[in-house]
Amino acid sequence: MALSLSKRAFNQERIVFLITIVLFAVFAVELNNFLAPANLLALVRSVAVLGMLGMAMLVVVLGRGIDLAIVANMAISVGWALQLIAGGMPVWLALCVGLGFALGMSLIGGILIAYAEIPSLFATLAMATFIYGFGRAHLITGTDVVYLPKDMGLVAQLGQGVVAGIPMPIIVAAATALAAYLFLKYTKPGRFIFAMGDNFNAARIGGIGVRPMLVFQYVLSGGATFLAGLITATSVGAMNTRIVNSNMIYDVILVVVLGGVGLSGGRGGVRNVIVGTLLIGVLMNGMTIMDVQYTVQNVIKSLILLFAIVSDSIINPRDEQTGQQGDI
Amino acid sequence: MQPVLELKSVTKEFHGVAALSDVNFTLAPGEVHSLLGENGAGKSTLTKIIAGVYEATKGQVLLHGKPVSFANPAEALRNGIAMVFQETSLVPSLSVAQNIYLGNEKFLNRLRGIYIAAQQFLQSLNFHVDPTMSVSQLGAAQKQMVEIARAVHHKAKVIIFDEPTATLTPEEKYHFFSLIKRLKQDGVSIIFISHALEEALEVSDRITILRDGRHIVTDAAANFDRNKIISAMVGRTLSAELYGSAGATRTARPYGRKVLSVQNLSMGRMVRNTSLSIYSGQITGIFGLIGSGRTETAKIISGVVKRDFFHGGETRLEGKSVRYRTPRPAVKDGIVYVTEDRKIEGFFETKSIAENIYLNYLASDQGTGLIVSRSEMVELAKRWTDKLAVRAIDNAASVIELSGGNQQKVVIARALVQQPKLVIFDEPTRGVDVGAIAELHHVINDLADSGLAVVVISSYLPEVLNLSDRILVSRQGRIVEEFSMEEATEEKIMYAAVH
Ligand SMILES: Nc1ncnc2c1ncn2[C@@H]1O[C@H](COP(=O)(O)OP(=O)(O)OP(=O)(O)O)[C@@H](O)[C@H]1O
Ligand SMILES: [Mg+2]
């Protein structure tokens, strides 16, 4: 079903899409190599993992939650799997162990949120800290960086392969987006997630098993996270656990919010995340070609986010009765 | 005399469809002006334009003869116009007192100070609400009282009440109407919206009737009677049968199987050792004053309240002992609760009418497995919106765009698609117009005739008397008396509820 939001001529999603097009056009005219196919592929590829993490975040945010443990879970689960392989474990087994770890951690987070009723912000913050601390202390025993073992077999193709001229990470990210889209739009649990984000009490009274559904959301997110981590590791040849301490998690929230997904739940979808991710991709790529400093890039990113949100609230004011608490 | 407020040929369109066309309206100083019309006639829209929620597409609003257009309700309030919304707009996480003083805080706020002030203020209105309670803990009626108190507190010159009495019991209504008289004496002009026509006839100086967004008639209240209002509202005279007054001849349905029995149920201070039985194939009405534990009892039975405060008692569904901690197993067993507070827990406001209905259908494990089916959804929605006569542009419109009474019908449709064995309606006709009340009563009667166990909780005595085959009266957390249809009278029920 179409969201009521999309009936508006200019919502945040469209504003952001417009900004993306304008930026794209400006870069295309101003920068020499911008339109080269190789650069465009590099552009999309550079945000493929971010987009996948955005999908993982989306599933949780639509249900009015947030998952701050995504990056930690990705780094530790994949890093541990790589180390197990280096230690002689068969690849498939190590990957199963890694995936099991990622799912298990998000399961625990989900249970804390659904059954112990800890707000998702605190529960996942605690989980992030726990996963990183535990992982570095007991699982990943070497340095911060776990390198990709040589004999990864076909799995290495996830990051390095090219099919019909398109790098695998882009294909996997697109497949993830498609799967998320189909899941959210056409399956019962997908619709229930929207319902819970829109009005949790109404969903509960209606007979939706809201607690199992909450746990399920986080577990799904954990699965997508592991896949994203695997792509990262196989394309750059290592998993650097330091990313847990970078501001990557903010970038993930950024691409979700930028495209117009409401943090108050129930509003938005896969399309919004794609639009947000593409804008970040175009922006970063252009600024990198222009050699803009990293710190300045962050300032520009944040200004664009603010611009998108402010113009949306000016164009589509919320009224007293339809406004929700915590609305973006 | 110059009117306080004047609307000149105001038109309001939503998505190109007119909700109001060319409406004129005046409000004289110190008058009570009732605005009547069917669900979706445009009453709320008209008053929201006055209060700065919407901007008119065409036309003018004059306040004391000067054209105005308020950007938001806060600005309207600064200019002396307050509105009590049909759907509550209180901040749930704040206390009652904080809500009353919201927007009026001093720079340094002493909580104790505002509690004392709020206590005195509420008492002066004769509203019994604890100012320290958080709004999320209040029932629908108490929220309404806080909402009214907040509007009065702002000392507005014009106060708009959009169905303020829908949830109030006779006692609170009495206090509310004496409040209106007092405000009137102080020179406040009042716009009053209600579906209780007798109330409007009694309290107002003038009455304006809208139909399909058009102005039909404005005249002194003395020149109206119930039938005249109804025919102006619906545009034709209706058979007396549809609008039949209370006490028309009917016979009570016989007792069916005992579907539910509740023994010595207790929870906190709200439900104390209460016992009752519900039978299939008949309607059990539950009457009681606000705070008498009706809603809480229903919510325990259907698993809606968490059982953290549960003190014991036994519930048997068809002889089998059950104890629901969440609504899901109750719904699966066929017990469905229809909430009194539709905005808070009744529907998904960003979702379409069709999806709202379909989601509940899916939640009760009906339908085609894991994949949703659009055609099934559309068909289901069509069936139910036809049956309950929901008025909307189409079923893809989101529920928040419906008028209050039509939202209520969607909430009821959501419950009925779950094919319950036992359905508990909590204030089922809240905000529904006279014609639609008759239709909804018809639907509820059909449910009982088809063998369902039906419970109707209502604060509106004529509704309880009109519908019920047997009537339970609740007081201070327990069922204190039971009447058969034949022996029930308004006086007896009221007496049992109060003493
Ligand atoms: N925000 C909105 N978007 C689209 N349509 C709307 C919106 N608000 C109201 N409408 C439509 O305008 C019409 C008038 O609605 P309004 O709420 O004014 O009715 P009402 O007279 O208050 O009815 P009720 O007695 O049921 O409260 C209805 O058809 C409704 O669907
Ligand atoms: Mg209304």
Side-chain angles (χ1 to χ4, degrees):
Chain A
M1 280 321 302
L3 280 163
S4 70
L5 277 183
S6 55
K7 280 184 202 149
R8 296 173 178 158
F10 271 102
N11 53 31
Q12 195 180 325
E13 182 193 344
R14 293 190 193 175
I15 294 167
V16 170
F17 193 59
L18 216 73
I19 300 175
T20 314
I21 305 248
V22 169
L23 271 180
F24 192 89
V26 170
F27 287 156
V29 174
E30 293 291 317
L31 303 175
N32 276 335
N33 295 325
F34 186 77
L35 274 185
N39 183 54
L40 291 183
L41 281 180
L43 185 162
V44 180
R45 184 183 171 150
S46 70
V47 289
V49 167
L50 191 59
M52 287 177 70
L53 293 177
M55 296 299 158
M57 185 65 92
L58 173 73
V59 171
V60 172
V61 167
L62 282 180
R64 209 183 281 183
I66 195 159
D67 191 347
L68 299 181
I70 284 181
V71 176
N73 205 3
M74 166 177 100
I76 299 301
S77 62
V78 173
W80 189 33
L82 296 187
Q83 179 174 301
L84 289 176
I85 296 170
M89 192 183 271
V91 174
W92 64 269
L93 185 58
L95 291 184
C96 285
V97 171
L99 179 63
F101 178 82
L103 295 180
M105 286 300 125
S106 42
L107 180 74
I108 295 174
I111 288 173
L112 286 177
I113 291 157
Y115 291 89
E117 296 184 3
I118 301 173
S120 54
L121 195 69
F122 302 135
T124 57
L125 192 60
M127 282 310 291
T129 315
F130 171 79
I131 294 170
Y132 184 64
F134 180 76
R136 287 300 288 120
H138 300 290
L139 304 178
I140 299 169
T141 43
T143 53
D144 286 333
V145 183
V146 188
Y147 290 98
L148 197 68
K150 278 188 210 65
D151 40 6
M152 287 289 284
L154 267 182
V155 177
Q157 294 303 310
L158 274 181
Q160 288 148 13
V162 175
V163 174
I166 301 173
M168 272 302 275
I170 297 180
I171 295 173
V172 178
T176 311
L178 181 68
Y181 176 79
L182 294 176
F183 167 73
L184 287 172
K185 190 159 171 133
Y186 294 109
T187 72
K188 215 159 111 169
R191 299 319 302 175
F192 284 175
I193 290 175
F194 278 101
M196 287 161 57
D198 185 300
N199 188 338
F200 190 81
N201 285 329
R204 183 171 175 270
I205 292 184
I208 294 175
V210 285
R211 289 176 159 180
M213 275 302 302
L214 272 177
V215 176
F216 180 57
Q217 280 171 41
Y218 286 89
V219 171
L220 266 187
S221 152
T225 299
F226 182 76
L227 188 58
L230 210 53
I231 304 269
T232 310
T234 48
S235 43
V236 300
M239 175 51 78
N240 184 347
T241 57
R242 285 251 195 78
I243 54 167
V244 178
N245 299 322
S246 72
N247 54 11
M248 184 166 193
I249 189 71
Y250 301 125
D251 282 344
V252 175
I253 299 174
L254 181 69
V255 296
V256 172
V257 175
L258 194 55
V261 177
L263 279 183
S264 58
R267 306 174 193 199
V270 169
R271 233 175 39 196
N272 304 67
V273 177
I274 293 178
V275 170
T277 310
L278 283 182
L279 173 55
I280 293 297
V282 170
L283 199 63
M284 303 295 265
N285 185 281
M287 290 195 297
T288 310
I289 296 179
M290 289 192 300
D291 222 358
V292 178
Q293 258 185 19
Y294 181 67
T295 43
V296 180
Q297 290 190 4
N298 277 337
V299 173
I300 293 175
K301 266 194 294 190
S302 62
L303 287 181
I304 288 197
L305 174 67
L306 290 178
F307 175 76
I309 292 176
V310 170
S311 44
D312 178 48
S313 72
I314 289 173
I315 296 172
N316 305 308
R318 312 259 188 272
D319 72 47
E320 193 103 318
Q321 280 200 293
T322 55
Q324 286 185 5
Q325 268 188 311
D327 241 351
I328 290 271
Chain B
M1 200 165 27
Q2 191 194 30
V4 180
L5 191 75
E6 188 170 4
L7 271 67
K8 282 190 173 157
S9 59
V10 165
T11 297
K12 173 71 191 173
E13 293 176 358
F14 293 108
H15 313 303
V17 181
L20 285 176
S21 3
D22 240 351
V23 173
N24 293 307
F25 180 82
T26 59
L27 186 66
E31 87 164 328
V32 178
H33 195 147
S34 285
L35 201 51
L36 305 179
E38 289 185 291
N39 292 135
K43 307 177 294 292
S44 297
T45 306
L46 181 77
T47 48
K48 281 183 188 171
I49 288 173
I50 298 172
V53 178
Y54 297 139
E55 198 185 338
T57 314
K58 278 203 279 288
Q60 257 190 335
V61 181
L62 306 175
L63 182 66
H64 303 297
K66 283 190 282 294
V68 289
S69 167
F70 303 121
N72 52 49
E75 197 183 324
L77 199 57
R78 280 197 295 278
N79 286 281
I81 299 178
M83 177 159 179
V84 174
F85 290 104
Q86 187 171 12
E87 312 300 332
T88 167
S89 61
L90 301 172
V91 183
S93 55
L94 294 183
S95 70
V96 169
Q98 285 170 321
N99 265 286
I100 292 176
Y101 290 89
L102 200 64
N104 262 14
E105 292 98 341
K106 302 203 185 70
F107 180 63
L108 285 174
N109 235 341
R110 266 195 334 134
L111 222 46
R112 225 175 89 78
I114 69 165
Y115 284 153
I116 294 170
Q119 175 74 35
Q120 288 168 348
F121 180 60
L122 285 165
Q123 240 157 29
S124 75
L125 303 179
N126 261 319
F127 286 170
H128 303 291
V129 186
D130 177 359
T132 60
M133 288 246 279
S134 105
V135 163
S136 60
Q137 289 172 302
L138 299 181
Q142 288 170 316
K143 278 188 199 146
Q144 193 72 61
M145 290 190 260
V146 177
E147 193 103 33
I148 293 169
R150 184 165 72 168
V152 174
H153 177 259
H154 281 106
K155 301 216 168 42
K157 279 280 138 212
V158 175
I159 303 184
I160 301 164
F161 291 106
D162 194 352
E163 297 189 29
T165 55
T167 52
L168 303 186
T169 55
E171 162 107 5
E172 280 109 12
K173 273 187 202 160
Y174 174 80
H175 291 311
F176 174 72
F177 287 123
S178 46
L179 171 66
I180 290 219
K181 289 201 191 88
R182 233 164 65 204
L183 290 170
K184 198 177 137 161
Q185 274 160 14
D186 297 345
V188 178
S189 308
I190 289 166
I191 301 177
F192 177 71
I193 300 176
S194 174
H195 288 296
L197 306 182
E198 286 76 10
E199 281 176 5
L201 281 166
E202 195 181 311
V203 73
S204 31
D205 300 307
R206 285 198 295 162
I207 293 178
T208 287
I209 293 173
L210 300 179
R211 185 200 319 145
D212 294 330
R214 283 167 209 286
H215 176 261
I216 300 300
V217 56
T218 300
D219 205 350
N223 297 338
F224 281 104
D225 61 27
R226 187 182 159 89
N227 288 333
K228 217 164 147 184
I229 293 178
I230 290 177
S231 62
M233 274 171 59
V234 300
R236 64 207 131 98
T237 44
L238 284 170
S239 63
E241 182 218 341
L242 184 58
Y243 288 100
S245 52
T249 50
R250 61 186 185 102
T251 46
R253 296 180 189 83
Y255 283 60
R257 279 171 303 117
K258 191 192 254 189
V259 174
L260 184 86
S261 84
V262 175
Q263 288 296 326
N264 304 325
L265 196 69
S266 291
M267 189 193 73
R269 288 181 303 159
M270 296 310 290
V271 178
R272 303 180 189 188
N273 210 18
T274 195
S275 302
L276 62 131
S277 299
I278 307 292
Y279 301 88
S280 68
Q282 62 165 209
I283 300 174
T284 306
I286 303 184
F287 180 81
L289 300 184
I290 289 155
S292 62
R294 299 166 303 172
T295 295
E296 288 77 10
T297 305
K299 283 187 167 178
I300 295 174
I301 292 171
S302 51
V304 175
V305 285
K306 299 204 184 93
R307 283 296 192 78
D308 304 350
F309 312 110
F310 180 78
H311 289 330
E314 184 173 47
T315 317
R316 287 179 171 275
L317 178 68
E318 303 193 309
K320 196 176 84 225
S321 179
V322 291
R323 188 166 168 176
Y324 303 115
R325 285 162 201 287
T326 62
R328 174 155 177 78
V331 168
K332 273 176 118 173
D333 285 352
I335 301 181
V336 171
Y337 169 73
V338 186
T339 179
E340 62 168 343
D341 203 336
R342 56 178 175 253
K343 174 104 192 279
I344 302 291
E345 52 190 24
F347 54 76
F348 308 112
E349 59 179 39
T350 63
K351 301 284 164 284
S352 69
I353 299 167
E355 181 151 12
N356 262 278
I357 295 173
Y358 189 51
L359 275 167
N360 255 27
Y361 175 78
L362 294 177
S364 61
D365 293 339
Q366 303 175 72
T368 48
L370 264 188
I371 308 298
V372 298
S373 147
R374 226 194 121 73
S375 60
E376 195 177 24
M377 173 170 95
V378 170
E379 191 195 321
L380 196 70
K382 179 160 172 23
R383 195 159 78 234
W384 283 98
T385 50
D386 283 354
K387 183 157 174 166
L388 298 182
V390 178
R391 263 221 267 169
I393 304 168
D394 65 62
N395 289 337
S398 54
V399 176
I400 196 71
E401 295 172 359
L402 293 180
S403 78
N406 285 304
Q407 290 177 355
Q408 181 64 26
K409 293 182 194 170
V410 172
V411 173
I412 290 178
R414 278 167 49 74
L416 297 185
V417 291
Q418 301 197 312
Q419 302 194 334
K421 270 193 278 196
L422 164 62
V423 55
I424 306 173
F425 293 103
D426 201 349
E427 309 286 356
T429 54
R430 180 181 171 195
V432 172
D433 71 48
V434 267
I437 285 181
E439 285 162 23
L440 277 185
H441 282 183
H442 201 75
V443 170
I444 293 175
N445 273 318
D446 280 352
L447 292 175
D449 287 337
S450 71
L452 252 72
V454 181
V455 177
V456 175
I457 298 174
S458 176
S459 302
Y460 186 48
L461 255 179
E463 172 159 274
V464 174
L465 283 167
N466 229 339
L467 273 177
S468 319
D469 298 305
R470 54 195 270 269
I471 297 171
L472 307 179
V473 179
S474 164
R475 170 161 47 89
Q476 293 181 349
R478 45 187 308 197
I479 302 294
V480 289
E481 203 129 5
E482 171 167 352
F483 296 99
S484 69
M485 193 195 100
E486 292 81 11
E487 61 190 6
T489 64
E490 288 204 16
E491 292 74 32
K492 281 192 201 165
I493 295 176
M494 222 33 223
Y495 188 86
V498 177
H499 295 280

